[in-house]
């Protein structure tokens, strides 16, 4: 999956080049019906998919701050309750409000890359529309665990296309030390990394804002990665959700239960 703006760089981290924001799933497989009922497509006014997002309550979504080139909610809609997205699809809703984390800075390795979306109307939950579970505050993800990335992003950097059918792919989380070494210390303490050691699987353009899941709990939000997408040995970088549970509570007014 990918955000609205995509900067093309090729393995430039060691030279101080900025990270590339990417938002699509590479080498994934089709998600099953109602397998991820909390997945939402964030769209431009014209209906073009730009980012993923997740339902955390019937009026609130979670995504990445970098997905919003404009902070005007009238510039976006969401499509929900389906694995198959299209410009002319149904189950589309307008946005009431966008709240990006104070201190978000795309010039500082996308620090605090997290945002809330308040919907114009509450969603009606059913088998195909439901909220994702969130982690407890400051309970951090360990390395070496099997996680899952979900999104509609590109399936390749060169010649890839945004997927119309929701994709999923299994990744492995990395320790903070492993990630810092591979990304030349360009990682914040509020990040988590995941990928596969040989490369070839992970996030790309269009996947931004979507979830990294561990045992069904959203532990990460797709933030950035090196181009070309999924190139070894660079893992994808995610915003670690557990750092921001109190912020989510404060700005949404939600009483989030532990693990939900």
């Amino acid at each position: 999956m990918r955000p609205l703006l995509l900067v093309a760089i090729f393995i430039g981290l060691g030279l101080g080049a900025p990270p590339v924001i990417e938002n699509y799933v590479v080498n994934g497989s089709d998600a099953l019906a109602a397998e991820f009922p909390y997945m939402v497509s964030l769209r431009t006014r014209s209906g073009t998919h730009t980012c993923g997002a997740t339902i955390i309550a019937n009026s609130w979504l979670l995504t990445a701050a970098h997905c919003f080139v404009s902070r005007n909610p009238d510039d976006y809609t969401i499509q929900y309750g389906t694995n198959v997205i299209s410009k002319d699809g149904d189950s589309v809703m307008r946005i009431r409000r966008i709240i990006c984390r104070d201190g978000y800075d795309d010039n500082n390795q996308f620090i605090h890359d997290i945002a809330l979306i308040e919907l114009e109307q509450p969603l009606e939950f059913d088998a195909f529309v439901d909220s994702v579970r969130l982690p407890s505050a400051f309970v951090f993800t360990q390395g070496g665990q099997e996680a899952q990335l979900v999104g509609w992003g590109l399936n390749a950097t060169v010649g890839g296309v945004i997927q119309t059918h929701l994709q999923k792919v299994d990744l492995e989380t990395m320790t903070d030390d492993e990630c810092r070494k591979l990304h030349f210390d360009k990682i914040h303490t509020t990040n988590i990394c995941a990928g596969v050691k040989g490369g070839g699987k992970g996030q790309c353009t269009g996947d931004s804002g979507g979830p990294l899941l561990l045992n069904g709990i959203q532990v990460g939000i797709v933030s950035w990665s090196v181009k070309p997408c999924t190139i070894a040995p660079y893992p994808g970088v995610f915003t670690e959700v557990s750092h921001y549970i109190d912020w989510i509570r404060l700005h949404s007014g939600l009483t989030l239960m532990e693990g939900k």
Side-chain angles (χ1 to χ4, degrees):
M1 309 165 190
R2 72 174 261 160
L4 293 174
L5 298 179
L6 180 63
V7 183
I9 60 170
F10 289 84
I11 318 179
L13 288 178
L15 300 177
V20 176
I21 304 176
E22 303 178 346
N23 54 344
Y24 76 92
V25 170
V26 177
N27 287 327
S29 58
D30 287 354
L32 303 176
E35 187 175 6
F36 305 101
Y38 39 79
M39 276 301 298
V40 167
S41 169
L42 179 64
R43 301 140 43 98
T44 63
R45 192 189 296 256
S46 67
T48 300
H49 171 82
T50 61
C51 280
T54 50
I55 300 168
I56 61 171
N58 60 2
S59 294
W60 291 94
L61 311 181
L62 189 65
T63 189
H66 80 255
C67 290
F68 298 106
V69 174
S70 161
R71 301 288 176 89
N72 181 356
D74 292 335
D75 289 336
Y76 305 94
T77 61
I78 61 131
Q79 187 173 15
Y80 64 95
T82 181
N83 283 351
V84 181
I85 57 173
S86 68
K87 286 186 177 181
D88 302 319
D90 54 9
S91 298
V92 173
M93 186 176 291
R94 295 170 62 88
I95 291 172
R96 180 187 303 277
R97 187 164 47 135
I98 299 165
I99 305 173
C100 293
R101 170 64 158 79
D102 289 344
Y104 163 69
D105 186 355
D106 56 4
N107 292 314
N108 184 13
Q109 312 302 324
F110 301 95
I111 190 169
H112 303 314
D113 193 6
I114 186 171
L116 287 166
I117 296 170
E118 184 179 12
L119 300 177
E120 193 168 75
Q121 298 176 4
L123 300 169
E124 294 185 10
F125 284 179
D126 57 26
F128 299 94
V129 181
D130 203 353
S131 58
V132 69
R133 290 191 294 161
L134 297 181
S136 300
F138 303 108
V139 174
F140 305 126
T141 302
Q142 304 301 309
Q145 299 192 69
E146 185 174 300
Q148 199 167 40
L149 169 67
V150 185
W152 286 280
L154 295 178
N155 57 356
T157 298
V158 179
V161 295
I162 292 292
Q163 302 299 288
T164 56
H165 195 291
L166 185 64
Q167 299 290 294
K168 59 183 179 180
V169 67
D170 291 335
L171 305 176
E172 183 178 321
T173 62
M174 295 187 175
T175 66
D176 291 347
D177 286 345
E178 289 173 323
C179 192
R180 287 191 186 96
K181 289 176 182 176
L182 291 171
H183 282 300
F184 303 95
D185 290 326
K186 297 179 182 291
I187 300 297
H188 297 290
T189 58
T190 50
N191 289 138
I192 182 176
C193 294
V196 294
K197 288 183 170 58
K201 290 185 178 183
Q203 67 212 53
C204 198
T205 300
D207 288 323
S208 289
L212 181 70
L213 303 162
L214 183 64
N215 299 322
I217 296 174
Q218 184 176 356
V219 296
I221 300 168
V222 176
S223 184
W224 62 270
S225 58
V226 174
K227 294 287 280 182
C229 297
T230 73
I231 188 169
Y234 307 107
V237 181
F238 302 78
T239 300
E240 191 163 20
V241 175
S242 65
H243 284 277
Y244 298 96
I245 295 298
D246 291 341
W247 177 82
I248 294 170
R249 288 184 176 126
L250 175 65
H251 290 278
S252 67
L254 297 174
T255 302
L256 300 174
M257 298 173 60
E258 299 298 309
K260 180 64 176 178

